[in-house]
Amino acid sequence: MSYVELAVTTNFSFLRGASHPQEFVVQAQSLGYPAIGIADRNTLAGVVRAYDQWKQLDAASRPRLLIGARLVFRDGTPDILAYPKDRKAYGWLSRLISVGKLRGKKGECLLDLQDLLTWRRGLLLIVMPPTANPQTLLPLLKILGRDTWLAASMLYTGEDRRRLNALQ
């Protein structure tokens, strides 16, 4: 089974990511990853530079570049990674982010779950579980429906096996 990082945060996620998108793409290639997912916080800003670097890599060994965004909500909805299936869905994701940015002051993006439901067409979604109890996410997963997955990450606390089994 191949490993793919889907929740990469670049320096375009202010005070959350430090590395440039280009560096992530080059590193993914050097590690032999089949793909890498760039998902900055409520923005698509990092994907332009990632794509420019990706085009320069040797086509035979470059990873697939997955372009998305980490949606952060003001209404208590857990963070959700959103990856468009096609160009039209990319436009809907861009519109969703624009709706949130128009609501806030400069540098803010104020999204609610209802915004996502309005602009959800064509998006593959990954819900990032904020709690140790995944049962609390069942209503959200039901609302989001098809093309939605629950993320699992290693916390390295000694409880990962139990936690991953609960998430499954």
Side-chain angles (χ1 to χ4, degrees):
M1 177 183 284
S2 297
Y3 176 79
V4 175
E5 179 60 60
L6 296 174
V8 173
T9 301
T10 75
N11 62 329
F12 284 91
S13 291
F14 186 61
L15 297 178
R16 287 175 176 80
S19 295
H20 298 285
Q22 312 89 292
E23 296 168 344
F24 281 116
V25 171
V26 169
Q27 187 66 12
Q29 181 189 37
S30 71
L31 293 172
Y33 286 6
I36 184 167
I38 304 292
D40 281 309
R41 182 183 170 93
N42 291 337
T43 186
L44 293 164
V47 301
V48 174
R49 291 186 185 176
Y51 181 72
D52 285 342
Q53 180 63 52
W54 179 84
K55 286 190 310 185
Q56 295 175 31
L57 299 177
D58 177 34
S61 64
R62 68 181 172 208
R64 184 172 175 204
L65 180 59
L66 306 174
I67 294 172
R70 182 183 191 116
L71 303 175
V72 179
F73 301 89
R74 65 178 175 175
D75 63 2
T77 301
D79 291 3
I80 297 175
L81 302 180
Y83 284 98
K85 290 182 186 180
D86 54 30
R87 186 179 180 120
K88 196 169 199 174
Y90 181 87
W92 288 323
L93 178 57
S94 297
R95 180 66 181 148
L96 168 63
I97 293 169
S98 295
V99 165
K101 289 193 179 289
L102 287 170
R103 276 194 197 118
K105 297 181 281 186
K106 184 175 179 172
E108 291 182 338
C109 184
L110 305 177
L111 291 173
D112 297 311
L113 177 59
Q114 188 56 50
D115 300 324
L116 174 60
L117 297 176
T118 300
W119 298 99
R120 187 213 192 297
R121 293 166 296 210
L123 295 178
L124 303 172
L125 304 175
I126 304 170
V127 178
M128 308 298 285
T131 65
N133 183 4
Q135 297 296 326
T136 62
L137 297 174
L138 291 177
L140 174 63
L141 294 172
K142 187 174 182 178
I143 290 169
L144 295 174
R146 295 183 55 207
D147 295 332
T148 303
W149 292 267
L150 184 61
S153 58
M154 304 297 278
L155 301 177
Y156 303 105
T157 62
E159 295 291 324
D160 284 331
R161 181 167 287 165
R162 181 196 57 75
R163 191 172 150 277
L164 292 176
N165 285 335
L167 288 172
Q168 188 176 20

